[in-house]
Amino acid sequence: MTAPTWSVVVRRFPLVTVSTPRLLVRPLVAADAAMVSDVFGDRQARRWLPVPEEYGLADGAAWCTELAEWRRERGDGDHFAIVRRIDDRLVGCVWNRRTDWGAASTEVSFAVAAPVRGYGLAAEAVDVLAVALLLEHGFQRVELRIASGNVAARRVAEKAGFRYEGLLRNAGYVPSGRVDVESWSLVAADLTAP
């Protein structure tokens, strides 16, 4: 008897570009590498994200090119630049991963440059990307997973309209070790609720 075979269709993650009056969220390109290196090389970003201690230009270049393309081609997600429209400057990154096409869900993560923290840019970028995925690309659920204790990221989730769902015990890793992870979501029904 032979084992059954299943045909798995791998969907390419959609090319998404969205904007607000202040921001443009677009796929990363090779020319973004230096700014991406600055965003992920920041001590505060490294505190909450599982990135190398010494994040350099080669890491930024890989994040903008082959890693983004690999994630896109697998249908797992994409890497985006958060660009401030007033001066066309890359001020952060937002990315999707853990996309489940059967469940029509994806996870969003983000990081912003130190000089622009506290101005609501992360929440604005996460919100506009999540809404586009839900309304224009058929997703039913967008998740944020936030390391317990990351108060700034929790504020981003709240401002972007995500709802807290609970704590995933020992579900994450940051450079200091294992952490509990808060689960937040925005679902299609949230956009039509009164």
Side-chain angles (χ1 to χ4, degrees), residues 19 50 62 67 72 75 83 88 105 113 124 131 138 140 155 181 186:
S19 63
L67 293 174
R72 233 182 341 264
V83 179
D88 202 34
S105 70
E124 193 172 321
V131 169
Q140 294 297 308
R155 282 193 214 114
V181 175
L186 184 68

Side-chain angles (χ1 to χ4, degrees), residues 10 28 42 46 62 106 113 128 137 168 186:
V10 176
L28 285 165
D42 175 69
R46 286 193 324 268
T106 190
V128 72
H137 297 284
L168 307 172
L186 184 68

Side-chain angles (χ1 to χ4, degrees), residues 1 11 65-66 90 102 112 116 142 153 163 167:
M1 182 168 199
R11 293 181 61 181
T65 57
E66 62 255 23
L90 188 148
V112 293
V116 299
V142 178
R163 294 187 185 178
L167 190 67

Side-chain angles (χ1 to χ4, degrees), residues 2 24 45 52 75 79 85 97 109 142 147:
T2 61
L24 172 68
H79 299 174
R85 292 173 65 145
R97 63 184 183 157
S109 299
V142 178

Side-chain angles (χ1 to χ4, degrees), residues 31-96:
D32 296 327
M35 289 304 300
V36 168
S37 298
D38 289 345
V39 169
F40 288 119
D42 175 69
R43 183 181 58 82
Q44 185 69 10
R46 286 193 324 268
R47 177 180 178 196
W48 297 111
L49 297 171
V51 297
E53 179 65 30
E54 297 297 323
Y55 196 93
L57 187 56
D59 299 304
W63 183 259
C64 294
T65 57
E66 62 255 23
L67 293 174
E69 185 61 27
W70 177 80
R71 190 164 275 169
R72 233 182 341 264
E73 288 298 323
R74 288 185 55 223
D76 189 47
D78 203 350
H79 299 174
F80 301 95
I82 302 171
V83 179
R84 189 170 51 194
R85 292 173 65 145
I86 194 167
D87 57 4
D88 202 34
R89 183 170 178 82
L90 188 148
V91 295
C93 296
V94 61
W95 60 99
N96 294 90

